[in-house]
């Protein structure tokens, strides 16, 4: 069994081939430093021979110092009929200044003849010459055998011949690529075992997730002797993605006892995954294994009390070990223990025997039956509890509002709202425009409240989700609105449900402001300003 | 090796335990019918003993007829110290009217003592009694052995004892659950092999994706002898989700030669996955294996011609086999072939050399860049093409509309719209109320047009979906509205995109009516009626 694994990250190259993933050179440099900090051995920075933007990364990378990571360049074998020393692609690799390169070559005869349109022998020479050339320049060379598993299944001898050529040329590692992503774990294991037995040098694995098996395939390869693992952070990549290093690392290190990072670095895993998501402008999936927000989120009444007492019996690993944390969700499925736990988390001591608590739970179930989903709206939930306990956090009341949306001919639509509030006995009124009825109402509400309590200007809407609950009713359905608000430091979520989208949005908006005021009641001050005195004006007109 | 596998879907129960997944009873019934149509054997409709909403599903399900699916109820073993016939949970299962039930019981001694807080013997009796009770009522009973793999690793004898009790009580299948989701494929294989050898009845598997190994674990279990596979559509579920049936099915059937659906049903896989995503209000991930939009999307460049000629060398399966399609990401190429293909499908002969066709494609690309998605709105697409060819299907024009939403104090919100149209040179105007700005506009628009063209009353809105395109902009984002209309015989879809939801809805509504009028132009007649002459009235006031 392999005693330790070297990680090879191709987020910056293969990862960016995924639809919707675009990284600037600056993003790539930041990610490279993050991965170096984590302890990834090889960081494939790009394909310098393919475009100048990729070369740019290598130029900039020369100005940074890495602790232990080896910045690697990706490139193809020399072109058919061209000498290695004259091949522009190989020249770019030298110019990039890297110490290591991953050269990919064809291992499937069909591809050689149809895609490359050259002879089987020439392809073998291309592999040999390219690797020999770079080795003579003193570089470390990894050979990525493209379509290896499919190639092996179709013409075993030829596939192995490609590897032999690479090894004889001095390659430091033979990486078998499941380029189409469709191999089964047993096929990976069988074939890699054969290859491993025939070579003295390092073998590696590069899988794709077309069968939702990339992680499993990678683990099988390591079991069969591979000590070099290629993948991307968060599984980015073409089609269904590359093998996800974030899932591979804890499986290898914590479940299989095969280290790939220094032990003290493991807790950086979650933060690394999130950091890369942020730079790649991706929303981290809540359900992402190991590092997702929901990976250790427990729902459902029966489990909760047990989880809280003995988490190890409900969790396959301790979340803290990879830098994540446990969460307990409140929902209609939950019993009283969920509610008590949540209230405690919120710092509101609840007495189980207090009849008010039973009422709060009844109210909660009732609301949830109408469509409220409190696990997604903790601020509304807290207000529900506190109101149920008799506290008052209203601060302002609606006198009335009016929203007007108008469109003339083919002209642009105009949407305006006027809002009149009763704030501590005073009437405050203003108007605003927006690009939708809710947007206009949102702006007008804040503007109005802001004329009394400027504190409202420190918060803003950061996310707005609408969910139609019973679509069969078409435009006349029940609507659930979830709002996320922020003050730049913290975020909180509120909810509104109604047959009317404006009403539902209104509820969520009002809750979001009331919650913020409640949390910062110490800073809630009336605006000092000159009162506006309208002149005598045109009376009774 | 297992010759065929029975699929057991728990999307409606375990799937809904995922954060953010909430299905109405109506959604669940639709999904159940969809899965029945696909050929899923067991459909777990819910846990009737846990809450009334779940029982509601079973009541409604009695009114539907299923071709082959067996609607199944989930439930716990009887409570400690309570007789099976007096256990309310088991009673609910009987009341639900199902023919099959999945009873879950503890197989890990630790959980029995700490979570259930009862004796090891009592737990065994609970398993035995509950299953025996339901079997005597003539039901099919599946035993879900909770935390089986962890339980087996900690106390092998006790875990096996739990299974023996279930088998002796008459259980029809023993399902081993990797409840914490952290087992490795080899562990699943080894343990299931042991269990399978010790029993004559069916064995099954239920995995979770906490290690990103749920699919692989499930396949290993089948290899080891399990012929009953539990999972959810699209892998929904708590934490990191349940084993994804959408990935399991093609792996079993197409790669391992173990059928689970009728061959002719396989092409329904993609549509089923997307349908469930829509009902669950989830955005289908482009990178989802097998069914994702990007699953067979190839980047262009050197490979394009090779791919188009020999797709099997770049694809692990043929996309059509599971109802997906190949995409080649070379923008002009894919754009034009899509357009020509679609136009042909619609029976509109397009001449590739016609400059109008190039303009239509430019317009289409422009619109798609703004967020229009024509594959989901074929009626809008057809109007786009026909307008591009110079045809006119307008029938009516907007003079102006005004929507007013008002709310006073805690009163109900009122939403009214007035619409004035120019129809064949005549001004027509009326007003309507609704329960939202768009609903009011919709009613007023139809009412107004209907005063000229009564044909509009034969169509109605059957579905209305809003998707916010760039949620980071909160209430000021771009919104895509998809409308499905029907006249009772046919349905058609239209789209609108705008920063303003009313504008987006307006576009989709107008398209829906224009399309209907175009298709039924022969029946489009002006309403014969007495003109309304207002009296002299109070002039110039």
């Amino acid at each position: 069994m392999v005693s330790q694994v070297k990680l090879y990250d191709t987020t910056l190259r293969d990862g960016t081939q995924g639809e919707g993933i675009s990284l600037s050179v600056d993003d790539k440099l930041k990610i490279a430093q993050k991965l170096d900090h984590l302890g990834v051995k090889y960081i494939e920075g790009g394909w310098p021979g393919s475009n100048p933007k990729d070369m740019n990364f290598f130029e900039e990378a020369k100005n940074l110092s890495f602790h232990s990571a080896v910045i690697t360049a990706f490139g193809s074998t020399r072109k058919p009929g061209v000498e290695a020393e004259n091949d522009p692609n190989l020249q770019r690799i030298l110019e990039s200044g890297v110490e290591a390169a991953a050269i990919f070559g064809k291992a499937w005869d069909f591809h050689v003849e149809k895609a490359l349109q050259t002879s089987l022998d020439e392809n073998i020479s291309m592999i040999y010459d390219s690797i020999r050339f770079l080795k003579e320049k003193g570089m470390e060379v990894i050979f990525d055998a493209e379509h290896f598993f499919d190639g092996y299944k179709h013409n075993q001898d030829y596939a192995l011949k490609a590897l032999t050529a690479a090894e004889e040329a001095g390659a430091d590692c033979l990486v078998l690529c499941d380029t189409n992503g469709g191999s089964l774990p047993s096929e990976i294991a069988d074939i890699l075992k054969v290859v491993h037995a025939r070579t003295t040098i390092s073998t590696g694995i590069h899988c794709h997730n077309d069968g939702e098996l990339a992680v499993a395939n990678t683990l099988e390869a390591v079991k069969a002797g591979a000590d070099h693992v290629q993948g991307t952070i968060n599984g980015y990549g073409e089609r269904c993605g590359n093998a996800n290093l974030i899932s591979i690392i804890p499986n290898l290190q914590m479940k299989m006892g095969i280290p790939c990072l220094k032990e003290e670095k493991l807790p950086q895993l979650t933060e690394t995954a999130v950091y890369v998501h942020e730079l790649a402008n991706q929303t981290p999936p809540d359900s992402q294994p190991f590092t997702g927000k929901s990976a250790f989120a427990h729902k459902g009444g029966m489990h909760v009390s047990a989880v809280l007492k003995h988490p190890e019996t409900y969790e396959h690993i301790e979340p803290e070990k990879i830098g994540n944390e446990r969460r307990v969700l409140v929902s209609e499925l939950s019993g009283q223990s969920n509610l008590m736990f949540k209230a405690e988390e919120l710092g509101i001591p609840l007495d189980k025997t207090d009849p008010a608590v039973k009422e709060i739970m009844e109210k909660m179930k009732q609301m949830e039956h109408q469509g409220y989903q409190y696990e997604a709206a903790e601020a509304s939930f807290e207000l529900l509890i506190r109101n149920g306990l008799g506290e008052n956090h209203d601060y302002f009341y609606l006198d009335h509002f009016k929203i007007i949306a108008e469109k003339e001919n083919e002209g642009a639509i105009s949407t305006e709202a006027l809002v009149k509030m009763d704030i501590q006995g005073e009437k405050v009124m203003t108007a605003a425009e927006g690009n939708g009825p809710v947007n206009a109402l949102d702006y007008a509400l804040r503007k109005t409240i802001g004329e009394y309590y400027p504190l409202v200007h420190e918060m803003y809407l950061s996310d707005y989700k609408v969910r139609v609950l019973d679509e069969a009713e078409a435009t006349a359905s029940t609507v659930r609105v979830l709002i996320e608000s922020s003050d730049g430091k913290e975020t909180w979520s509120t909810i509104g449900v109604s047959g009317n989208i404006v009403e539902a949005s209104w509820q969520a908006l009002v809750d979001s402001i009331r919650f913020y005021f409640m949390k910062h009641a110490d800073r809630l001050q009336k605006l000092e300003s000159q009162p506006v005195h309208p002149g005598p004006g045109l009376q009774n007109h």
Side-chain angles (χ1 to χ4, degrees), chain A residues 149 178 181 183-190 192 205-224 226 229-230 242-245 247-249 251-252 256 290:
Chain A
F149 298 92
D178 186 29
S183 294
L184 292 173
S186 52
E187 297 173 321
I188 300 279
D190 292 344
L192 205 137
I205 183 70
H206 175 115
C207 292
H208 281 270
N209 207 31
D210 299 71
E212 206 179 325
L213 296 169
V215 172
N217 284 350
T218 303
L219 302 182
E220 278 304 305
V222 171
K223 276 165 71 179
V229 161
Q230 300 198 352
N242 282 58
N244 183 358
L245 290 178
S247 294
I248 289 166
I249 291 166
N251 271 316
L252 281 178
M256 292 165 64
F290 297 104

Side-chain angles (χ1 to χ4, degrees), chain A residues 132-253:
Chain A
R132 182 102 217 100
F133 175 70
L134 294 178
K135 283 304 293 176
E136 277 166 1
K137 303 290 181 186
M139 293 180 72
E140 178 181 353
V141 181
I142 293 152
F143 177 57
D144 279 2
E146 250 206 337
H147 294 283
F148 188 81
F149 298 92
D150 291 321
Y152 183 98
K153 288 180 215 168
H154 283 80
N155 185 338
Q156 183 175 315
D157 288 340
Y158 191 74
L160 292 172
K161 215 168 156 183
L163 295 185
T164 303
E167 185 168 3
E168 284 175 356
D172 299 280
C173 180
L174 304 173
V175 176
L176 313 186
C177 305
D178 186 29
T179 309
N180 291 354
S183 294
L184 292 173
S186 52
E187 297 173 321
I188 300 279
D190 292 344
I191 294 170
L192 205 137
K193 225 171 259 160
V194 166
V195 168
H196 186 72
R198 288 167 52 101
T199 183
T200 49
I201 64 175
S202 182
T203 46
I205 183 70
H206 175 115
C207 292
H208 281 270
N209 207 31
D210 299 71
E212 206 179 325
L213 296 169
V215 172
N217 284 350
T218 303
L219 302 182
E220 278 304 305
V222 171
K223 276 165 71 179
D227 68 350
H228 171 117
V229 161
Q230 300 198 352
T232 59
I233 299 299
N234 301 325
Y236 299 153
E238 271 198 89
R239 303 187 312 270
C240 309
N242 282 58
N244 183 358
L245 290 178
I246 297 296
S247 294
I248 289 166
I249 291 166
N251 271 316
L252 281 178
Q253 190 143 340

Side-chain angles (χ1 to χ4, degrees), chain A residues 393-534:
Chain A
H393 301 287
D394 288 349
Y395 306 104
F396 49 81
Y397 297 94
L398 175 69
D399 182 291
H400 77 277
F401 71 65
K402 193 174 289 193
I403 309 167
I404 303 159
E406 306 183 74
K407 179 178 166 84
E408 222 170 301
N409 309 123
E410 293 303 309
I413 198 168
S414 106
T415 323
E416 301 168 337
L418 68 83
V419 173
K420 184 174 177 186
M421 306 292 288
D422 182 316
I423 309 182
Q424 306 296 320
E426 274 185 47
K427 299 290 184 188
V428 189
M429 180 172 188
T430 186
E433 57 189 346
N435 47 21
V438 173
N439 183 237
L441 181 64
D442 176 28
Y443 287 168
L445 174 62
R446 284 167 207 284
K447 216 169 152 186
T448 309
I449 290 178
E451 293 201 352
Y452 194 100
Y453 286 131
L455 183 67
V456 75
H457 294 308
E458 294 192 22
M459 59 171 278
Y460 55 92
L461 248 171
S462 52
D463 199 9
Y464 174 80
K465 280 188 172 62
V466 179
R467 163 89 208 267
V468 174
L469 296 186
D470 34 17
E471 280 171 9
E473 303 299 314
T475 56
S477 343
T478 303
V479 146
R480 176 197 295 145
V481 168
L482 282 168
I483 273 173
E484 188 190 81
S485 306
S486 177
D487 66 350
K489 293 171 223 119
E490 294 175 319
T491 64
W492 61 100
S493 301
T494 51
I495 189 172
V497 175
S498 170
N500 188 301
I501 191 177
V502 176
E503 172 68 46
S505 305
W506 173 257
Q507 290 172 22
L509 286 170
V510 164
D511 263 13
S512 75
I513 299 171
R514 284 179 169 158
F515 181 83
Y516 189 62
F517 283 3
M518 173 182 78
K519 287 293 173 187
H520 299 275
D522 54 310
R523 296 199 291 126
L524 194 61
Q525 280 176 339
K526 181 179 169 180
L527 179 65
E528 287 310 319
S529 62
Q530 289 301 327
V532 173
H533 292 297

Side-chain angles (χ1 to χ4, degrees), chain A residues 226 240 272 276 342 353 356 397 519:
Chain A
C240 309
T272 302
V276 176
K342 270 285 141 181
T353 59
Y397 297 94
K519 287 293 173 187

